[in-house]
Amino acid sequence: MTSIPKTSRRDFLKLAAAAGGGLVLGFHWESAEAKIMNVIHGGTVAGSDISFNSYLSISPDDVITIFSPNPELGQNIKTSFPMIVAEELDADWTKVHVQQAMLDTKKYERQVTGGSGAIPHSWERLRKAGATARYMLMEAAAKRWSVPASSLTAEHGVVYHKESGRKATYGELATDASAIAVPADVKLKDKKDFKLIGTAVRNVDSKQMITGKPLYGLDFYREGMLFAMLQRPPAFGTKIKSVDAAAAKAMPGIVDVVTFKNNVAVVGKSTWQVNKARKALKVEYEPDGAAALESTTDHDQIFKKLLDSSDPNVVSVKRKDGDADAAFKTAAKVITKEYQCPFLSHSPLEPMNFFAHVRPDGVELVGPSQTPDMARNETAKLLNIPPEQITLELTRLGGGFGRRLKADYVLEAAELSSLIKAPVKVIWTREDDMTGGSYRPAVRYRFSAALDAKGNLVGYKLRGVGINAGNCTREDNFPSGAVDNLQIESIEHKSPITTGAWRAPITNFLAFAEQAFIDEVAMAAGKDPVAFRLDLLAKAKTTPVGAIKYDIDRMKGVIDLVVEKSQWGKKKGVSQGFSVYFSHRSYVAQVAEIEMKKGKPVLEKIHAAADCGVVVNISGANQQVRGGVTDGLGHALFGSLTFKDGAAEQKNFNNYRLIRMKEVPAIDVHFVNNGIDPTGLGEPALPPTGGAVANALFKALGKRLYNQPFTKQEELKGVSLGERL
């Protein structure tokens, strides 16, 4: 499988025409109906304009090309989408090519990467598109050979009539197939008959990535374009007082220095020249006046105050079942604990960047975005032009983790291009990314549990305070529905520090806090932590309290699988910690294993059991789980971004700690094979990791962890965690 270079739709049609004929089949990602949009004969395109928004083409030389509309940032969507089409098509995978589509809201629905939702959204649409093309090819062969279509079979891009020994490739049949009426409906394969889906398939961009071919936004280059870097305020809550750009303007290669909004842009002929000149700027800042210069110590005080607040205008009750206050008054035992997490940088390998060319007749945007339609719409609003006058070409994203859901860096490029009247590419440095970016919100939670004399959980309270976090709880997640008396509350503190979605928003830390707390409650109840959760799930199934928004059987399924694979509770000399979580429609359970070696705890292995429905690409799915576990582990252990007077104290990887290769344990991945449609996998493996590791550390060291990062906590002070930890 290979990927053809990025081209426009017009170039794509020229490419197909040059192949000498064939079938171009368009399929709409919303309706999943395939229709003949253009028939190419002898190098000419016949028919009306293409009005659908994704295309499956089959050329006479048997090459199948598919446009993939969703942004690709490492979640393997650019490989998985065509796999689904090729499965129903019975295509020869070695002859399938995939091409990244440009933004086109008339043809595509949900051209977004976020929320682990791409495969769940497009699964049936893609299958129908492939099945429709296969039907038309089979009908064309039946008509050519004057035999019933039911007597034909297809495999690896070839149609067979076994009775007569005749066969024809899809390329040979493509032109004839263009004359076949498009069926109103098609029969999809039984999932047990899948041959490609569920196998290991190499990423379609692997060769280009390994050989350094242009793929990413940073790779994009246009002859004559300029480069720019922006000096942004060093602290949230400050504004520009004065700018002295004389020295910067005098440096080699510098074209202009422009001040706009609260930024100073240095524009020049190369990134090296621009970066050097930016350092020569003399910019004075002053307090904004409307925003406080907050520090991490301020946030600690804010958390304490709001967790104790009784103001109904401040506290938002998200769920209330029974009478939690009454349950706590009569409880035999009450457990209350608090958990806190810091701000985190997204730290994608590729810093923010975007190209913009604002012309009198329209705007061209090129670069990496998780939400290209939003980027275009915000650009249109900024420039006061219709969105239809803006084109946006997507490059591959060198990581995103939620940071590229925002369009601030796109708007910077568009506004700067409009001011300097030239094409320009804005590039952020790592320091820009870390100090002026959008962070995971800092949050503090207070959990309380009420147990009766038999150790049954009869009351449960959670109050969360988040800094620009919105609702920092997930009130309908487990154990909601399994506790008679439950109350979930959320409080938000508004801050000038910008925050946004960070991989598995909110649940990335909430899962650790919930799962660590449930373990502690289970211990107080004198019960095995896994058995304690299973008892709660059984109660939710037999006598549910309020709405159940999670699938009890699916959660139990991953628990049972990870218990089996990890041999839970049966290993000697191994401290095991358990965690299970539901997020983004999927379920993941984990068991972390720590062994004491020469008096030091070493994290040897993490077992993960995932239920994401049908696994499209087992290779990609394995990497998604391993990547999620590693990401969750690294940030739970080390990640921390702190502020002093509104300024980030960590500016690069010299003092913002990421996990290292030698610290990653063995990760054992298993999938529940329940045959349901895919439910997403980009984020669900991350949330359970912190809880599993924290619970294993407690068993190994007898110390509970309540805050992240773990390695900076008093509970582990003086404890050597071993090479892997």
Side-chain angles (χ1 to χ4, degrees):
M1 176 109 182
T2 58
S3 176
I4 62 178
K6 295 187 293 290
T7 60
S8 66
R9 185 180 73 186
R10 181 179 299 171
D11 292 333
F12 168 68
L13 293 174
K14 287 179 180 178
L15 179 65
L23 166 69
V24 174
L25 180 70
F27 59 91
H28 194 290
W29 294 73
E30 181 172 3
S31 66
E33 294 175 353
K35 296 183 179 180
I36 301 171
M37 305 311 297
N38 290 268
V39 184
I40 302 174
H41 295 290
T44 61
V45 179
S48 59
D49 291 340
I50 296 174
S51 59
F52 278 54
N53 50 18
S54 196
Y55 308 94
L56 166 66
S57 73
I58 303 174
S59 69
D61 61 356
D62 295 319
V63 173
I64 299 169
T65 303
I66 305 170
F67 276 106
S68 181
N70 284 46
E72 170 61 71
L73 53 73
Q75 82 281 34
N76 209 44
I77 208 71
K78 196 175 175 183
T79 304
S80 298
F81 271 17
M83 283 180 66
I84 298 168
V85 177
E87 177 65 72
E88 292 289 348
L89 183 61
D90 280 317
D92 180 351
W93 182 251
T94 64
K95 296 180 179 179
V96 173
H97 291 224
V98 61
Q99 183 175 345
Q100 179 68 58
M102 292 182 66
L103 172 66
D104 194 328
T105 54
K106 292 182 179 179
K107 298 202 301 285
Y108 301 113
E109 184 189 62
R110 199 189 181 277
Q111 219 172 343
V112 172
T113 289
S116 302
I119 291 289
H121 171 268
S122 300
W123 169 252
E124 187 172 350
R125 296 164 174 81
L126 293 166
R127 293 183 68 191
K128 285 183 176 179
T132 300
R134 181 183 183 277
Y135 169 89
M136 296 170 71
L137 291 160
M138 299 282 276
E139 289 293 322
K143 186 175 181 180
R144 176 182 291 188
W145 297 330
S146 300
V147 298
S150 59
S151 67
L152 303 177
T153 58
E155 188 174 3
H156 296 302
V158 180
V159 178
Y160 296 92
H161 185 245
K162 294 183 179 179
E163 186 176 337
S164 64
R166 284 176 288 189
K167 65 179 182 179
T169 67
Y170 285 178
E172 293 169 339
L173 293 167
T175 301
D176 290 350
S178 67
I180 301 298
V182 179
D185 197 12
V186 288
K187 182 180 179 181
L188 301 179
K189 283 185 179 181
D190 190 309
K191 292 171 184 173
K192 66 178 177 57
D193 296 325
F194 286 164
K195 297 175 182 176
L196 182 62
I197 289 176
T199 64
V201 174
R202 184 178 60 188
N203 188 298
V204 298
D205 286 335
S206 288
K207 184 176 180 180
Q208 289 92 324
M209 288 188 284
I210 292 170
T211 57
K213 301 294 184 185
L215 280 173
Y216 301 94
L218 283 177
D219 297 326
F220 178 81
Y221 178 77
R222 174 72 54 76
E223 189 68 33
M225 77 178 188
L226 298 172
F227 296 86
M229 289 184 178
L230 274 62
Q231 177 63 50
R232 300 172 185 84
F236 293 95
T238 60
K239 62 182 180 179
I240 294 174
K241 181 179 181 181
S242 65
V243 178
D244 181 352
K249 288 181 177 180
M251 296 181 72
I254 300 306
V255 175
D256 202 355
V257 176
V258 181
T259 300
F260 66 102
K261 297 288 172 53
N262 208 18
N263 305 310
V264 183
V266 180
V267 184
K269 297 180 180 179
S270 74
T271 54
W272 176 254
Q273 291 171 321
V274 166
N275 196 26
K276 286 185 67 178
R278 187 174 64 160
K279 295 175 182 177
L281 288 172
K282 296 178 181 178
V283 185
E284 285 188 76
Y285 294 89
E286 61 185 355
D288 193 330
L293 299 176
E294 294 183 353
S295 296
T296 297
T297 52
D298 299 324
H299 298 148
D300 290 339
Q301 297 302 314
I302 289 166
F303 285 141
K304 291 176 182 178
K305 178 181 178 180
L306 292 178
L307 280 174
D308 292 329
S309 176
S310 58
D311 186 347
N313 296 315
V314 171
V315 181
S316 175
V317 178
K318 297 300 181 181
R319 177 162 176 157
K320 187 173 183 179
D321 297 329
D323 188 338
D325 289 336
F328 275 84
K329 287 178 181 178
T330 60
K333 186 179 292 186
V334 172
I335 305 97
T336 298
K337 300 295 178 183
E338 293 185 8
Y339 301 79
Q340 185 168 317
C341 70
F343 290 97
L344 289 179
S345 167
H346 291 81
S347 300
L349 185 61
E350 177 191 27
M352 301 302 106
N353 67 91
F354 228 82
F355 168 86
H357 188 188
V358 178
R359 311 181 308 270
D361 62 337
V363 178
E364 181 187 13
L365 300 173
V366 184
S369 170
Q370 292 180 242
T371 53
D373 186 36
M374 185 185 78
R376 184 178 69 170
N377 288 336
E378 290 194 12
T379 299
K381 184 177 179 181
L382 171 75
L383 301 177
N384 195 28
I385 61 174
E388 293 75 22
Q389 292 185 14
I390 302 173
T391 63
L392 194 153
E393 180 181 348
L394 283 166
T395 63
R396 189 179 177 100
L397 287 66
F401 314 112
R403 177 61 182 93
R404 286 186 162 99
L405 290 170
K406 292 194 172 186
D408 54 313
Y409 59 101
V410 183
L411 297 180
E412 288 178 347
E415 185 166 8
L416 183 57
S417 177
S418 71
L419 293 171
I420 65 175
K421 311 298 182 185
V424 65
K425 183 175 179 180
V426 170
I427 298 176
W428 293 41
T429 64
R430 177 60 58 195
E431 288 82 2
D432 293 334
D433 230 24
M434 199 165 288
T435 62
S438 176
Y439 309 105
R440 181 193 70 177
V443 182
R444 189 171 183 90
Y445 294 108
R446 177 181 291 164
F447 289 85
S448 295
L451 298 174
D452 66 14
K454 295 182 179 179
N456 298 310
L457 182 60
V458 294
Y460 184 88
K461 289 183 179 181
L462 165 61
R463 173 175 286 193
V465 178
I467 298 176
N468 290 346
N471 176 16
C472 62
T473 69
R474 292 295 179 263
E475 62 272 12
D476 294 321
N477 277 11
F478 178 81
S480 293
V483 186
D484 291 331
N485 305 287
L486 174 143
Q487 188 159 320
I488 310 291
E489 300 168 338
S490 179
I491 301 172
E492 181 176 23
H493 168 70
K494 296 290 187 180
S495 167
I497 297 172
T498 56
T499 63
W502 191 95
R503 191 177 186 180
I506 302 300
T507 61
N508 54 61
F509 177 77
L510 177 60
F512 150 69
E514 286 181 349
Q515 292 298 301
F517 181 67
I518 288 175
D519 249 45
E520 191 160 356
V521 174
M523 183 177 179
K527 298 179 180 180
D528 173 82
V530 172
F532 186 72
R533 290 170 173 84
L534 289 173
D535 288 345
L536 287 172
L537 286 173
K539 184 180 188 309
K541 181 139 189 166
T542 56
T543 54
V545 182
I548 303 289
K549 299 290 184 72
Y550 50 91
D551 190 308
I552 296 168
D553 292 333
R554 291 182 69 191
M555 183 171 280
K556 185 177 181 301
V558 293
I559 293 174
D560 291 342
L561 182 57
V562 83
V563 163
E564 173 197 343
K565 297 299 182 180
S566 68
Q567 300 179 60
W568 173 260
K570 297 178 181 178
K571 295 181 178 179
K572 294 183 179 180
V574 177
S575 297
Q576 294 181 314
F578 176 82
S579 179
V580 62
Y581 214 72
F582 156 63
S583 65
H584 297 86
R585 299 170 297 276
S586 293
Y587 300 77
V588 179
Q590 295 180 20
V591 171
E593 295 184 343
I594 290 177
E595 297 181 29
M596 299 299 294
K597 296 187 175 181
K598 298 181 179 179
K600 299 177 181 179
V602 177
L603 179 62
E604 289 289 350
K605 180 178 284 190
I606 294 178
H607 301 268
D611 177 357
C612 59
V614 171
V615 175
V616 176
N617 182 353
I618 191 64
S619 174
N622 264 290
Q623 295 308 317
Q624 282 292 298
V625 174
R626 294 174 196 276
V629 170
T630 302
D631 203 10
L633 174 63
H635 285 93
L637 292 174
F638 308 114
S640 179
L641 194 76
T642 57
F643 289 86
K644 184 176 182 180
D645 295 330
E649 295 185 283
Q650 293 75 30
K651 296 177 172 55
N652 209 317
F653 294 137
N654 62 311
N655 59 358
Y656 184 81
R657 179 81 151 81
L658 296 179
I659 194 169
R660 296 164 182 156
M661 290 181 67
K662 69 178 183 178
E663 294 162 340
V664 179
I667 302 172
D668 188 26
V669 181
H670 302 276
F671 294 95
V672 173
N673 183 18
N674 54 19
I676 67 173
D677 289 350
T679 55
L681 194 57
E683 290 157 294
L686 185 150
T689 305
V693 174
N695 291 333
L697 279 167
F698 171 74
K699 287 190 178 180
L701 303 173
K703 298 177 183 289
R704 292 280 180 197
L705 295 170
Y706 298 99
N707 302 322
Q708 290 184 3
F710 295 162
T711 53
K712 291 186 178 181
Q713 300 315 307
E714 185 68 26
E715 293 86 354
L716 294 183
K717 194 172 184 179
V719 175
S720 175
L721 297 175
E723 183 178 12
R724 285 208 175 88
L725 283 180

